[in-house]
Amino acid sequence: MKITRDNHDLVGGLLMAAAGLFFALYGQRYDFGTSDRMGPGYFPVVLGWTLAVLGLLVAVPAWWRRGSAITVQWGNLFWCVASLLAFALTLRLLGVVLASFVAALISLVPSSMALRTRLTVCAVVAVLTTLIFPIGLQMMLPIWPWSH
């Protein structure tokens, strides 16, 4: 009898641990500082090691636990990648508001929600993206096509 491991948690935990390890090791290039005066490397290192430990806490028990096979939803993956590419290719041309609206709309192609709900979600994503990046973080990005 073949024992099927919990591959979802095993793969997810190992990816979390790998990402945490990467950030913890890469963050050591920067000045760590102290708890009183944190340097730029403090948070990447501390949070990276925390993520690595949490990833192992997810992955190790999954090795002995039964689970179901992993099924990749290729359609969802395709539309997700397509939305990222659309955002990257239209950001300078359309501005943040319209590019994020279009990207959100493309990512919702496989969804079964109503058109009105989709448009509402896209509008909320566009507003939040605009509030966070060009306004909140003051990134030098065009907000509208005519604001170059």
Side-chain angles (χ1 to χ4, degrees), residues 75-129:
N76 292 349
L77 178 63
F78 171 79
W79 289 109
C80 182
V81 172
S83 72
L84 291 173
L85 289 173
F87 181 79
L89 295 173
T90 61
L91 179 60
R92 297 279 180 209
L93 180 67
L94 298 178
V96 173
V97 175
L98 295 177
S100 58
F101 187 91
V102 167
L105 194 59
I106 291 171
S107 72
L108 290 174
V109 166
S111 174
S112 62
M113 65 177 67
L115 179 62
R116 183 177 179 155
T117 307
R118 286 180 199 228
L119 295 176
T120 303
V121 168
C122 293
V124 169
V125 167
V127 167
L128 289 175
T129 303

Side-chain angles (χ1 to χ4, degrees), residues 26-141:
Y26 192 81
Q28 290 178 354
R29 294 180 176 200
Y30 301 105
D31 180 39
F32 189 77
T34 64
S35 295
D36 291 343
R37 283 189 76 84
M38 297 177 206
Y42 190 88
F43 273 109
V45 171
V46 171
L47 294 178
W49 285 117
T50 303
L51 184 62
V53 169
L54 289 174
L56 288 176
L57 288 174
V58 170
V60 169
W63 182 264
W64 291 281
R65 190 172 49 233
R66 287 181 162 252
S68 58
I70 295 176
T71 56
V72 179
Q73 297 177 349
W74 294 105
N76 292 349
L77 178 63
F78 171 79
W79 289 109
C80 182
V81 172
S83 72
L84 291 173
L85 289 173
F87 181 79
L89 295 173
T90 61
L91 179 60
R92 297 279 180 209
L93 180 67
L94 298 178
V96 173
V97 175
L98 295 177
S100 58
F101 187 91
V102 167
L105 194 59
I106 291 171
S107 72
L108 290 174
V109 166
S111 174
S112 62
M113 65 177 67
L115 179 62
R116 183 177 179 155
T117 307
R118 286 180 199 228
L119 295 176
T120 303
V121 168
C122 293
V124 169
V125 167
V127 167
L128 289 175
T129 303
T130 305
L131 288 175
I132 292 170
F133 294 103
I135 296 173
L137 296 175
Q138 297 179 350
M139 293 178 73
M140 301 301 294
L141 298 170

